[in-house]
Amino acid sequence: MAAVNSGGSDEIISQPAKHQEVGHKSLLQSDALYQYILETSVYPREPAPMKELREVTAKHPWNLMTTSADEGQFLNLLLKLINAKNTMEIGVYTGYSLLSTALALPDDGKILALDINRENYEIGLPIIEKAGVAHKIDFREGPALPVLDLMIEDEKFHGSFDFIFVDADKDNYLNYHKRLIDLVKIGGVIGYDNTLWNGSLVAPPDAPLRKYVRYYRDFVLELNKALAVDPRVEICQLPVGDGITLCRRIS
Protein backbone atom coordinates (compact mmCIF):
# COMPACT_ATOMS: atom_id res chain seq x y z
CA MET A 1 0.00 0.00 0.00
CA ALA A 2 1.19 3.52 -0.76
CA ALA A 3 0.45 6.39 1.62
CA VAL A 4 -0.51 9.79 0.15
CA ASN A 5 -1.34 13.14 1.73
CA SER A 6 -4.87 14.33 1.00
CA GLY A 7 -3.69 17.89 0.45
CA GLY A 8 -5.47 20.19 2.88
CA SER A 9 -4.63 18.36 6.07
CA ASP A 10 -2.17 15.99 7.59
CA GLU A 11 -4.51 13.04 7.02
CA ILE A 12 -2.80 10.07 5.39
CA ILE A 13 -4.92 7.98 3.02
CA SER A 14 -3.79 4.51 2.12
CA GLN A 15 -3.92 3.74 -1.62
CA PRO A 16 -3.27 0.46 -3.43
CA ALA A 17 0.23 0.12 -4.86
CA LYS A 18 0.28 0.27 -8.68
CA HIS A 19 1.22 -2.92 -10.43
CA GLN A 20 4.50 -2.91 -12.37
CA GLU A 21 3.73 -5.52 -15.02
CA VAL A 22 3.86 -3.88 -18.45
CA GLY A 23 1.03 -5.16 -20.60
CA HIS A 24 -0.83 -6.16 -17.42
CA LYS A 25 -4.43 -7.11 -18.17
CA SER A 26 -5.38 -8.93 -15.00
CA LEU A 27 -8.98 -8.48 -13.89
CA LEU A 28 -8.00 -8.60 -10.22
CA GLN A 29 -9.53 -5.61 -8.45
CA SER A 30 -6.42 -5.02 -6.37
CA ASP A 31 -3.23 -3.98 -8.15
CA ALA A 32 -1.35 -4.61 -4.91
CA LEU A 33 -2.62 -8.19 -4.76
CA TYR A 34 -1.62 -8.80 -8.39
CA GLN A 35 1.84 -7.40 -7.67
CA TYR A 36 2.04 -9.75 -4.67
CA ILE A 37 1.33 -12.73 -6.96
CA LEU A 38 4.02 -11.60 -9.39
CA GLU A 39 6.67 -10.98 -6.77
CA THR A 40 5.92 -14.06 -4.64
CA SER A 41 5.08 -16.81 -7.14
CA VAL A 42 5.85 -15.65 -10.68
CA TYR A 43 9.03 -13.59 -10.95
CA PRO A 44 11.15 -15.78 -8.60
CA ARG A 45 10.37 -18.82 -10.79
CA GLU A 46 10.47 -17.08 -14.18
CA PRO A 47 13.23 -18.58 -16.37
CA ALA A 48 15.98 -16.08 -17.22
CA PRO A 49 15.21 -16.11 -21.00
CA MET A 50 11.55 -15.32 -20.33
CA LYS A 51 12.48 -12.47 -18.03
CA GLU A 52 14.84 -11.07 -20.66
CA LEU A 53 12.19 -11.29 -23.38
CA ARG A 54 9.56 -9.74 -21.10
CA GLU A 55 11.84 -6.79 -20.40
CA VAL A 56 12.71 -6.34 -24.09
CA THR A 57 9.03 -6.49 -25.05
CA ALA A 58 8.17 -3.89 -22.41
CA LYS A 59 10.07 -1.33 -24.49
CA HIS A 60 7.99 -2.02 -27.61
CA PRO A 61 5.19 0.46 -28.38
CA TRP A 62 2.65 -2.38 -28.64
CA ASN A 63 3.66 -4.05 -25.38
CA LEU A 64 0.02 -4.38 -24.32
CA MET A 65 -0.19 -7.28 -26.79
CA THR A 66 2.21 -9.44 -24.81
CA THR A 67 1.19 -12.38 -22.67
CA SER A 68 1.43 -11.46 -19.00
CA ALA A 69 4.07 -13.15 -16.84
CA ASP A 70 1.52 -15.03 -14.71
CA GLU A 71 -0.20 -16.39 -17.81
CA GLY A 72 3.15 -17.43 -19.24
CA GLN A 73 3.82 -19.37 -16.06
CA PHE A 74 0.37 -20.97 -16.24
CA LEU A 75 0.85 -22.10 -19.85
CA ASN A 76 4.28 -23.54 -19.09
CA LEU A 77 2.92 -25.64 -16.23
CA LEU A 78 -0.19 -26.70 -18.16
CA LEU A 79 1.87 -28.02 -21.06
CA LYS A 80 3.95 -30.11 -18.68
CA LEU A 81 0.86 -31.45 -16.95
CA ILE A 82 -0.66 -32.69 -20.21
CA ASN A 83 2.71 -33.93 -21.55
CA ALA A 84 2.32 -31.87 -24.71
CA LYS A 85 4.75 -32.55 -27.53
CA ASN A 86 3.18 -31.28 -30.77
CA THR A 87 1.64 -27.81 -30.44
CA MET A 88 0.49 -24.80 -32.43
CA GLU A 89 0.39 -21.09 -31.63
CA ILE A 90 -1.70 -18.60 -33.62
CA GLY A 91 -0.54 -15.07 -32.86
CA VAL A 92 3.07 -14.82 -31.73
CA TYR A 93 4.00 -11.12 -31.32
CA THR A 94 7.53 -11.08 -29.81
CA GLY A 95 7.24 -14.67 -28.61
CA TYR A 96 6.81 -14.60 -24.82
CA SER A 97 4.10 -17.29 -24.73
CA LEU A 98 5.95 -19.10 -27.54
CA LEU A 99 9.12 -19.21 -25.43
CA SER A 100 7.12 -20.38 -22.44
CA THR A 101 5.78 -23.24 -24.57
CA ALA A 102 9.16 -24.10 -26.09
CA LEU A 103 10.75 -24.33 -22.66
CA ALA A 104 8.00 -26.68 -21.48
CA LEU A 105 8.20 -29.12 -24.39
CA PRO A 106 10.67 -32.02 -24.56
CA ASP A 107 13.71 -31.57 -26.78
CA ASP A 108 11.97 -33.19 -29.73
CA GLY A 109 8.77 -31.21 -29.22
CA LYS A 110 7.43 -29.01 -32.01
CA ILE A 111 5.51 -25.74 -32.27
CA LEU A 112 3.88 -24.52 -35.45
CA ALA A 113 3.90 -20.73 -34.91
CA LEU A 114 1.72 -18.56 -37.16
CA ASP A 115 1.76 -14.75 -37.26
CA ILE A 116 1.30 -12.04 -39.88
CA ASN A 117 4.34 -10.09 -38.64
CA ARG A 118 7.79 -11.69 -38.68
CA GLU A 119 9.43 -8.43 -37.62
CA ASN A 120 7.89 -8.64 -34.15
CA TYR A 121 8.88 -12.30 -33.83
CA GLU A 122 12.48 -11.43 -34.67
CA ILE A 123 12.62 -9.13 -31.63
CA GLY A 124 12.45 -12.20 -29.43
CA LEU A 125 14.20 -14.66 -31.74
CA PRO A 126 17.78 -13.98 -30.50
CA ILE A 127 16.63 -14.72 -26.93
CA ILE A 128 14.80 -17.86 -28.07
CA GLU A 129 17.93 -19.01 -29.87
CA LYS A 130 20.11 -18.27 -26.86
CA ALA A 131 17.72 -20.36 -24.73
CA GLY A 132 18.43 -23.31 -27.03
CA VAL A 133 14.83 -23.95 -28.07
CA ALA A 134 14.61 -22.35 -31.53
CA HIS A 135 14.84 -25.79 -33.18
CA LYS A 136 11.41 -26.62 -31.76
CA ILE A 137 9.73 -23.72 -33.60
CA ASP A 138 8.42 -23.70 -37.16
CA PHE A 139 7.52 -20.02 -37.68
CA ARG A 140 5.40 -19.12 -40.69
CA GLU A 141 4.56 -15.56 -41.62
CA GLY A 142 1.12 -14.83 -42.99
CA PRO A 143 -2.58 -15.34 -42.24
CA ALA A 144 -3.34 -18.51 -40.31
CA LEU A 145 -6.61 -19.54 -41.95
CA PRO A 146 -5.10 -20.59 -45.33
CA VAL A 147 -2.53 -22.71 -43.48
CA LEU A 148 -5.24 -24.34 -41.40
CA ASP A 149 -7.37 -25.03 -44.49
CA LEU A 150 -4.47 -26.86 -46.13
CA MET A 151 -3.96 -28.92 -42.99
CA ILE A 152 -7.64 -29.80 -42.84
CA GLU A 153 -7.36 -31.22 -46.37
CA ASP A 154 -4.59 -33.57 -45.26
CA GLU A 155 -5.82 -36.38 -43.01
CA LYS A 156 -2.42 -36.80 -41.37
CA PHE A 157 -2.90 -33.54 -39.46
CA HIS A 158 -6.30 -34.48 -38.04
CA GLY A 159 -6.02 -35.05 -34.31
CA SER A 160 -2.27 -34.45 -34.43
CA PHE A 161 -1.90 -31.56 -31.96
CA ASP A 162 -1.71 -31.93 -28.20
CA PHE A 163 -2.17 -28.22 -27.50
CA ILE A 164 -3.11 -25.13 -29.51
CA PHE A 165 -2.91 -21.55 -28.19
CA VAL A 166 -4.86 -18.80 -29.97
CA ASP A 167 -4.03 -15.15 -29.32
CA ALA A 168 -4.60 -13.40 -32.64
CA ASP A 169 -7.42 -11.58 -34.46
CA LYS A 170 -10.50 -11.92 -32.28
CA ASP A 171 -12.88 -11.52 -35.23
CA ASN A 172 -11.62 -14.86 -36.54
CA TYR A 173 -11.73 -16.84 -33.30
CA LEU A 174 -14.83 -18.79 -34.36
CA ASN A 175 -13.30 -19.43 -37.79
CA TYR A 176 -10.22 -20.80 -36.05
CA HIS A 177 -12.31 -22.99 -33.76
CA LYS A 178 -14.17 -24.57 -36.69
CA ARG A 179 -10.83 -25.78 -38.03
CA LEU A 180 -8.83 -26.41 -34.88
CA ILE A 181 -11.39 -28.79 -33.41
CA ASP A 182 -10.38 -31.28 -36.10
CA LEU A 183 -6.65 -30.69 -35.71
CA VAL A 184 -6.40 -31.10 -31.93
CA LYS A 185 -6.47 -34.69 -30.68
CA ILE A 186 -9.24 -36.09 -28.51
CA GLY A 187 -8.05 -35.28 -25.01
CA GLY A 188 -6.00 -32.38 -26.35
CA VAL A 189 -6.49 -28.74 -25.36
CA ILE A 190 -7.16 -25.50 -27.22
CA GLY A 191 -6.57 -22.28 -25.27
CA TYR A 192 -8.27 -19.06 -26.39
CA ASP A 193 -6.76 -15.91 -24.92
CA ASN A 194 -8.53 -12.62 -24.07
CA THR A 195 -11.94 -14.21 -23.55
CA LEU A 196 -12.86 -11.69 -20.85
CA TRP A 197 -11.74 -8.85 -23.11
CA ASN A 198 -10.70 -6.08 -20.72
CA GLY A 199 -13.80 -6.77 -18.62
CA SER A 200 -15.89 -5.14 -21.36
CA LEU A 201 -18.22 -8.13 -21.81
CA VAL A 202 -20.45 -6.92 -18.98
CA ALA A 203 -20.05 -3.18 -19.61
CA PRO A 204 -23.26 -1.18 -20.15
CA PRO A 205 -24.03 -0.12 -23.75
CA ASP A 206 -23.01 3.50 -23.08
CA ALA A 207 -19.71 2.63 -21.37
CA PRO A 208 -16.73 4.68 -22.65
CA LEU A 209 -14.74 1.88 -24.26
CA ARG A 210 -11.67 2.24 -26.45
CA LYS A 211 -12.52 1.78 -30.12
CA TYR A 212 -10.69 -1.52 -30.56
CA VAL A 213 -12.20 -2.90 -27.36
CA ARG A 214 -15.72 -2.05 -28.52
CA TYR A 215 -15.09 -3.43 -32.02
CA TYR A 216 -13.90 -6.86 -30.91
CA ARG A 217 -16.23 -7.25 -27.92
CA ASP A 218 -19.09 -8.76 -29.92
CA PHE A 219 -16.77 -11.32 -31.51
CA VAL A 220 -15.53 -12.42 -28.09
CA LEU A 221 -19.09 -12.63 -26.80
CA GLU A 222 -20.03 -14.77 -29.80
CA LEU A 223 -17.08 -17.10 -29.20
CA ASN A 224 -17.91 -17.53 -25.53
CA LYS A 225 -21.54 -18.40 -26.32
CA ALA A 226 -20.46 -20.92 -28.96
CA LEU A 227 -17.89 -22.63 -26.73
CA ALA A 228 -20.38 -22.89 -23.87
CA VAL A 229 -22.70 -25.09 -25.96
CA ASP A 230 -20.16 -26.98 -28.08
CA PRO A 231 -20.67 -30.67 -27.19
CA ARG A 232 -17.26 -31.60 -28.65
CA VAL A 233 -15.37 -29.87 -25.83
CA GLU A 234 -15.44 -29.41 -22.09
CA ILE A 235 -14.37 -25.92 -21.08
CA CYS A 236 -12.96 -23.86 -18.24
CA GLN A 237 -12.80 -20.07 -18.43
CA LEU A 238 -10.15 -18.65 -16.13
CA PRO A 239 -9.59 -15.03 -15.03
CA VAL A 240 -5.85 -15.27 -15.72
CA GLY A 241 -4.45 -12.31 -17.64
CA ASP A 242 -7.30 -11.01 -19.78
CA GLY A 243 -9.18 -14.28 -19.48
CA ILE A 244 -8.25 -17.62 -21.04
CA THR A 245 -10.72 -20.34 -21.99
CA LEU A 246 -9.40 -23.90 -22.11
CA CYS A 247 -11.24 -26.36 -24.35
CA ARG A 248 -10.52 -30.07 -23.94
CA ARG A 249 -11.72 -32.01 -26.96
CA ILE A 250 -13.84 -34.96 -25.91
CA SER A 251 -15.33 -36.05 -29.25
Side-chain angles (χ1 to χ4, degrees), residues 38-69:
L38 292 174
E39 293 179 355
T40 304
S41 302
V42 179
Y43 291 158
R45 294 297 189 100
E46 185 179 35
M50 290 181 64
K51 178 182 179 182
E52 183 180 359
L53 181 51
R54 176 169 56 83
E55 292 175 344
V56 167
T57 304
K59 301 172 184 176
H60 194 275
W62 300 343
N63 58 50
L64 190 64
M65 292 170 53
T66 192
T67 299
S68 60

Side-chain angles (χ1 to χ4, degrees), residues 156-170:
K156 74 178 182 182
F157 291 111
H158 287 213
S160 65
F161 289 91
D162 305 310
F163 179 78
I164 302 172
F165 183 58
V166 186
D167 184 15
D169 43 329
K170 316 308 170 192

Side-chain angles (χ1 to χ4, degrees), residues 12 15 51 60 66 88 92 94 115 131-132 142 151 155 162 166 176 195-196 205 212-213 225 228 236 243 247:
I12 300 296
Q15 297 287 350
K51 178 182 179 182
H60 194 275
T66 192
M88 184 192 310
V92 173
T94 61
D115 198 289
M151 296 176 75
E155 287 287 337
D162 305 310
V166 186
Y176 292 140
T195 59
L196 293 176
Y212 83 93
V213 172
K225 289 178 182 177
C236 180
C247 306

Side-chain angles (χ1 to χ4, degrees), residues 18-49:
K18 182 67 175 174
H19 62 77
Q20 298 171 13
E21 170 76 358
V22 175
H24 157 62
K25 299 185 285 284
S26 173
L27 298 174
L28 281 176
Q29 293 298 301
S30 168
D31 282 332
L33 184 58
Y34 180 63
Q35 192 65 28
Y36 169 82
I37 293 171
L38 292 174
E39 293 179 355
T40 304
S41 302
V42 179
Y43 291 158
R45 294 297 189 100
E46 185 179 35

Side-chain angles (χ1 to χ4, degrees), residues 90-129:
I90 302 175
V92 173
Y93 186 41
T94 61
Y96 186 80
S97 57
L98 184 64
L99 177 57
S100 176
T101 298
L103 289 170
L105 298 184
D107 193 60
D108 60 345
K110 298 296 178 185
I111 313 165
L112 175 61
L114 308 175
D115 198 289
I116 59 172
N117 190 320
R118 185 177 183 91
E119 184 178 347
N120 288 334
Y121 169 62
E122 288 181 345
I123 293 173
L125 184 55
I127 299 170
I128 292 171
E129 290 174 337

Side-chain angles (χ1 to χ4, degrees), residues 135-234:
H135 66 283
K136 302 179 186 180
I137 299 169
D138 176 11
F139 180 87
R140 302 187 194 179
E141 184 178 23
L145 288 175
V147 177
L148 299 180
D149 285 338
L150 288 174
M151 296 176 75
I152 289 294
E153 293 175 4
D154 191 336
E155 287 287 337
K156 74 178 182 182
F157 291 111
H158 287 213
S160 65
F161 289 91
D162 305 310
F163 179 78
I164 302 172
F165 183 58
V166 186
D167 184 15
D169 43 329
K170 316 308 170 192
D171 45 348
N172 269 317
Y173 266 25
L174 265 182
N175 290 325
Y176 292 140
H177 187 68
K178 291 173 183 176
R179 294 158 173 82
L180 298 178
I181 196 67
D182 289 326
L183 298 177
V184 71
K185 72 179 185 181
I186 292 178
V189 177
I190 307 171
Y192 291 100
D193 203 15
N194 304 109
T195 59
L196 293 176
W197 200 231
N198 289 247
S200 68
L201 306 187
V202 294
D206 58 348
L209 302 177
R210 286 169 288 180
K211 185 180 295 185
Y212 83 93
V213 172
R214 184 175 298 279
Y215 174 77
Y216 287 112
R217 179 176 61 171
D218 288 345
F219 294 106
V220 177
L221 284 166
E222 185 182 17
L223 172 78
N224 290 341
K225 289 178 182 177
L227 295 181
V229 297
D230 188 339
R232 299 167 298 178
V233 297
E234 51 188 9

